[in-house]
Amino acid sequence: MNIKNAIIACFYKYFEFNGRSSRKECWWFILFTYLVSWSLELMAWILMGEDSYWNSGYMKEEYPLGLDIIIFLWAFIVLIPTLAVTSRRMHDISKSGWNQLWILTIVGIIWVIWIMIKNSDPHPNKYGNIPHDKTSF
């Protein structure tokens, strides 16, 4: 699976929290969301100027050209598919999708990342069959 297929798969399965997702699908989608987020922040930094961006304090000044609305909409659009693909990734290693909530704790961040990089279960589990790195809808 490549990044394009992962993005398509994750948006296609927008509200699908059941089943399993491969490690590639999950990490490609997370990389995509971070790259877009960083690009939006970089645009804000460039448009506001370095001094204005860093010295204003976070979100004290409005981003130019409605960029604050675009950043908010982007975060809102990718929230559900990110939670869904992470839940399916947890299922892929026989863990409940609720385990992703551990990321809200400091120690939990390390544990969740460790789980997310583990290999898939080699056999079907209670969450479904082995995910294939093919995009099939």
Side-chain angles (χ1 to χ4, degrees):
M1 177 170 286
N2 60 29
I3 191 165
K4 178 184 167 192
N5 291 342
I7 295 165
I8 292 168
C10 288
F11 279 117
Y12 184 79
K13 302 175 190 175
Y14 202 93
F15 289 106
E16 190 174 322
F17 287 81
N18 296 322
R20 295 169 65 174
S21 286
S22 69
R23 188 170 39 180
K24 284 184 182 180
E25 179 182 340
C26 182
W27 284 108
W28 277 127
F29 187 72
I30 290 171
L31 176 65
F32 166 72
T33 60
Y34 275 100
L35 288 176
V36 172
S37 298
W38 290 336
S39 298
L40 291 171
E41 285 293 329
L42 180 62
M43 282 194 310
W45 181 73
I46 290 169
L47 293 172
M48 289 178 74
E50 181 180 0
D51 292 336
S52 178
Y53 183 82
W54 292 112
N55 294 332
S56 66
Y58 185 68
M59 298 295 279
K60 285 186 180 174
E61 281 187 30
E62 289 187 25
Y63 285 135
L65 305 173
L67 199 54
D68 54 346
I69 295 170
I70 294 170
I71 291 170
F72 173 78
L73 287 175
W74 171 251
F76 185 74
I77 288 168
V78 297
L79 175 66
I80 300 297
T82 302
L83 292 172
V85 74
T86 305
S87 181
R88 291 192 309 268
R89 177 68 190 126
M90 293 284 179
H91 293 167
D92 190 40
I93 51 175
S94 297
K95 301 282 185 200
S96 169
W98 290 103
N99 281 302
Q100 66 184 306
L101 293 178
W102 282 105
I103 206 158
L104 300 174
T105 67
I106 294 172
V107 176
I109 293 170
I110 297 165
W111 186 74
V112 169
I113 291 172
W114 172 252
I115 286 176
M116 298 287 286
I117 62 174
K118 285 179 65 175
N119 287 329
S120 300
D121 283 348
H123 306 289
N125 62 22
K126 68 181 181 177
Y127 298 105
N129 291 325
I130 301 167
H132 298 286
D133 284 334
K134 297 177 188 170
T135 306
S136 57
F137 303 114

